[in-house]
Amino acid sequence: MSSNAPVEPRHTALDALHRSLGATMTDFAGWDMPLRYGSERDEHLAVRTKAGLFDLSHMGEITVTGPQAAALLDFALVGNIGGVKPGRARYTMICRADGGILDDLIVYRLAETTYMVVANASNAQTVLDALVERAGGFDAEVRDDRDAYALLAIQGPESPGILKSLTDADLDGLKYYAGLPGTVAGVPALIARTGYTGEDGFELFVAPADAEKLWQALTDAGTPVGLVPCGLSCRDTLRLEAGMPLYGHELSTALTPFDAGLGRVVKFEKEGDFVGREALTEAAARAESQPPRVLVGLIAEGRRVPRAGYPVVADGKVVGEVTSGAPSPTLGKPIAMAYVDAAHSAPGTPGVGVDIRGSHEPYEVVALPFYKRQK
C-alpha cells in the first residue's frame, strides 16, 4: 500500500440527497460538500429575504465532560467558559502558547458539567488534539463526537416561522447564542440560535440517521415561503457581507486575536493561567502602543473582483492585503475584507486601491460589516 494513495473525501449523511437535488459538489476540508444547487446569487438572496437550508455536517463537534470540564476549557481556551450559563453559547478562540490563533470556536454549555465545542472542519483534528493534550491533570474527558452529529442550518427571516411549524420548543424565548434540546419534526435535536450568515436563524444538531428526515420536513414546511437549499458558496458571500471572519483568511496562527481586532474574546480577568496568557498580554500591550493592521471593508468602484492575497495599495505603496473577496449580491458590487495599515483604515480614506494583476483598481474603505439585518 502506498502512503501517497489519495484519501477519499468524507460524506455527510445527506450526500445522496444533495446529489439527487443536482448539487455541484466540492472537496472542502476533506469532505465532499455541496457548493451550490443552482444559482449562488439566488441562494444568497433567498437567505437575505426568505430562508435557506444548509448541510454543515462537516463541522467538528467535541464534547468535554466531567467535574473539571469548565476548568479545562478555561485553561485551554482564551474565553471565560466557566461563566457561560447552561443553555447558552459563546464565541471564543483556542490559541497556541505564542498567542497565534489555532481556531475560532463556538462553545455550548449543554449541562452543568457538559460542553460541546464546535470547531471549523479544517481545524477539527487540531482542536481535538490540543484539547486532549491540555486535558492532562484535569478531571474531565474530551470526546471526539464528529460522527455523532449531523448539523443542519436554517437561516433567514422566514426561518423562525418555518421551524415553529415543526416544533413545540420555545423558539421565542431562545436568545441569540443559546441552545436547547427539543424535537423537530419528531427528531430529537439540539436547537441553537446561531449562524454564519448575518440573518436570524438556527443550527440543528441531530443524529446522522435522522438528518434526511429533518431536511425533508424543513423543505416541505419552508418551500411555500421561499426556502431553498443552499451550498457553501453562498455561505461564504453571506458571511463576507456580514463581516464575519473565516479561519485561513482573516484568522491564522500568524495572528493573535489582537492582530485580528478580536481582542475582546480574550478574558484576562478569569482566574488562573490559560494557554497563551503571557504572549497575549504582550500582544495586547503591543496593540495599544503600535496599532496592528486593521480589518476593514473595501467596496469596488469598478467590476473586478479582489481575491485573497491581493495587495492593497495607496500612494504607490503596499499598505495591506485582501483576506476575502467576492461579488456582493446584496450590494451589487465586488467587496473585500482586508488588513490595512492603521493610517489607511478610516472609512472614506482617499486613494486606496487593490492591485489586481498589475492594475490598481480604486476601492472605498468602509467599516465592517457591509450588511446588517434590520432587527
Side-chain angles (χ1 to χ4, degrees):
M1 281 286 289
S2 163
S3 59
N4 298 328
V7 177
E8 282 296 311
R10 300 181 69 183
H11 298 277
T12 77
L14 293 165
D15 184 73
L17 189 145
H18 297 316
R19 291 168 197 279
S20 74
L21 292 172
T24 299
M25 306 296 286
T26 189
D27 182 355
F28 183 82
W31 290 82
D32 217 8
M33 298 296 295
L35 189 63
R36 71 183 78 80
Y37 298 85
S39 153
E40 295 163 8
R41 185 175 177 279
D42 289 351
E43 291 172 25
H44 178 110
L45 294 174
V47 175
R48 286 275 178 259
T49 60
K50 298 182 177 72
L53 181 58
F54 297 82
D55 178 10
L56 304 179
S57 302
H58 60 312
M59 300 294 280
E61 296 87 6
I62 301 161
T63 303
V64 180
T65 59
Q68 290 189 299
L72 162 59
L73 290 169
D74 276 338
F75 169 71
L77 311 180
V78 301
N80 178 9
I81 307 305
V84 178
K85 292 182 168 60
R88 297 306 302 265
R90 184 153 297 168
Y91 176 78
T92 187
M93 293 183 183
I94 182 167
C95 290
R96 302 192 306 195
D98 67 1
I101 302 166
L102 281 173
D103 201 13
D104 61 335
L105 311 164
I106 296 181
V107 180
Y108 297 87
R109 189 168 194 169
L110 302 181
E112 194 60 40
T113 59
T114 304
Y115 295 80
M116 182 168 67
V117 178
V118 181
N120 285 297
S122 55
N123 295 330
Q125 191 63 46
T126 301
V127 173
L128 178 67
D129 292 345
L131 288 174
V132 168
E133 183 189 333
R134 296 173 189 188
F138 289 94
D139 186 5
E141 179 200 351
V142 177
R143 190 171 71 233
D144 180 0
D145 269 348
R146 283 176 287 180
D147 292 337
Y149 292 102
L151 175 56
L152 279 62
I154 179 169
Q155 300 278 300
E158 296 285 353
S159 56
I162 295 167
L163 201 55
K164 270 182 197 172
S165 73
L166 298 171
T167 182
D168 56 7
D170 178 18
L171 299 186
D172 291 334
L174 187 64
K175 296 186 174 75
Y176 187 51
Y177 266 72
L180 85 172
T183 302
V184 182
V187 170
L190 170 67
I191 306 166
R193 199 163 208 150
T194 46
Y196 194 53
T197 62
E199 298 299 335
D200 190 13
F202 304 86
E203 295 184 323
L204 307 170
F205 296 85
V206 300
D210 291 331
E212 203 163 316
K213 179 184 176 187
L214 182 56
W215 178 283
Q216 205 54 58
L218 289 164
T219 299
D220 293 345
T223 301
V225 291
L227 174 136
V228 301
C230 292
L232 293 183
S233 189
C234 83
R235 181 171 153 89
D236 193 46
T237 51
L238 289 159
R239 70 92 196 165
L240 176 55
E241 288 184 350
M244 294 174 164
L246 176 63
Y247 195 90
H249 289 257
E250 289 71 41
L251 308 173
S252 73
T253 51
L255 299 172
T256 71
F258 294 95
D259 297 321
L262 291 165
R264 66 181 181 275
V265 305
V266 182
K267 304 300 182 189
F268 292 117
E269 67 275 16
K270 65 179 174 177
E271 283 181 29
D273 196 16
F274 62 89
V275 176
R277 183 191 271 274
E278 190 178 333
L280 289 168
T281 303
E282 291 170 12
R286 198 163 56 243
E288 285 288 317
S289 59
Q290 302 167 278
R293 282 183 163 175
V294 179
L295 189 64
V296 300
L298 299 173
I299 300 179
E301 292 181 21
R303 308 303 307 165
R304 297 186 73 185
V305 178
R307 298 298 182 190
Y310 285 10
V312 179
V313 291
D315 307 321
K317 297 191 187 74
V318 174
V319 298
E321 184 175 302
V322 171
T323 53
S324 297
S328 164
T330 305
L331 276 62
K333 296 176 178 177
I335 59 172
M337 286 201 277
Y339 282 111
V340 301
D341 295 344
H344 294 87
S345 64
T349 300
V352 174
V354 175
D355 183 342
I356 300 182
R357 299 194 186 91
S359 168
H360 288 197
E361 302 287 330
Y363 275 74
E364 181 190 356
V365 179
V366 298
L368 291 168
F370 299 97
Y371 167 86
K372 204 163 194 177
R373 72 183 169 96
Q374 302 302 307
K375 291 276 193 329

